[in-house]
Amino acid sequence: MLHRIDTTASSLDTISRPAVFFDRDGVLNVNLGFVYLPEDFQWIDGAIKTIKYFNNAKYLVFVVTNQSGVARGYYTENDVQQLHKWMNAELAKQAAHIDAFYYCPHYPDAKLEQYREVCQCRKPMPGLIQQAIREWPVKPTKSFLIGDMDTDLKAAATAGIKGYLFNEENLFNFSTRVGLIKQ
């Protein structure tokens, strides 16, 4: 099973902690279709505040995202990694961070043959979440995913964590309304 990851923090911590898994496009940023350039990236209202809340609450914070634009030839894996580094640099300005980014570059009908496969890391398969759980001290019973598609929720359920369907305009308000953030 092939997984692509860009880890931006250390996974050496050994104390088991809850984790929040965010889908990227449509949850952390406005889904404009195949976003890979910082100048095209627009944070969802409340996203930075939500990430900072979970950082302060000692959750591990991960992004798990399908990036079929790589397989379609729209952009490269390096472009994805550079955008993730930029996201963390922007978050750092607000004293927030994402512990690791996990992405799947595969697509069954890929234009680029090296990415043409049915894999375990493309949601709705749970591979990205399972990899994070293996590599970090995640407490699955206290962890959850926030996604904007049924495939996100299926991946969470198969990985044994709760999933929440985000289809609103403000991530912090949503997370508070469904009881993930206590005020």
Side-chain angles (χ1 to χ4, degrees):
M1 178 166 38
L2 178 63
H3 296 279
R4 306 282 192 218
I5 84 165
D6 174 26
T7 302
T8 57
S10 173
S11 60
L12 299 177
D13 197 0
T14 58
I15 298 171
S16 183
R17 296 192 285 163
V20 56
F21 295 84
F22 291 108
D23 176 51
R24 196 187 82 186
D25 303 321
V27 176
L28 296 182
N29 61 284
V30 177
N31 190 352
L32 301 173
F34 303 106
V35 172
Y36 69 97
L37 296 170
E39 55 266 28
D40 295 334
F41 189 96
Q42 299 173 24
W43 289 101
I44 289 276
D45 288 340
I48 294 173
K49 186 176 179 181
T50 303
I51 293 166
K52 185 173 181 172
Y53 173 88
F54 286 113
N55 291 155
N56 291 340
K58 304 298 184 214
Y59 277 69
L60 293 164
V61 177
F62 302 115
V63 168
V64 289
T65 178
N66 289 345
Q67 290 298 311
S68 70
V70 173
R72 297 168 194 252
Y74 299 158
Y75 47 86
T76 67
E77 286 192 65
N78 185 60
D79 292 328
V80 174
Q81 294 165 6
Q82 291 306 310
L83 181 64
H84 292 165
K85 287 178 186 173
W86 176 86
M87 287 172 65
N88 248 350
E90 292 298 302
L91 288 167
K93 294 175 185 175
Q94 303 295 321
H97 69 277
I98 293 168
D99 290 296
F101 295 83
Y102 292 83
Y103 67 96
C104 173
H106 306 116
Y107 188 62
D109 298 322
K111 175 181 175 183
L112 302 176
E113 189 173 339
Q114 69 265 36
Y115 297 110
R116 191 179 307 137
E117 70 175 272
V118 176
C119 63
Q120 293 296 307
C121 59
R122 182 172 173 76
K123 295 177 288 176
M125 301 306 290
L128 298 177
I129 298 167
Q130 291 170 333
Q131 184 174 356
I133 290 170
R134 280 192 312 271
E135 294 178 350
W136 292 79
V138 173
K139 186 180 283 187
T141 58
K142 300 288 184 183
S143 300
F144 58 88
L145 174 141
I146 299 175
D148 66 330
M149 300 184 76
D150 288 337
T151 53
D152 298 316
L153 301 185
K154 288 177 185 172
T158 304
I161 64 172
K162 291 181 183 176
Y164 295 89
L165 185 63
F166 174 71
N167 55 7
E168 299 179 16
E169 294 182 12
N170 187 300
L171 185 59
F172 190 84
N173 292 347
F174 168 83
S175 298
T176 301
R177 185 180 58 72
V178 298
L180 302 173
I181 290 178
K182 314 282 191 264
Q183 294 210 341

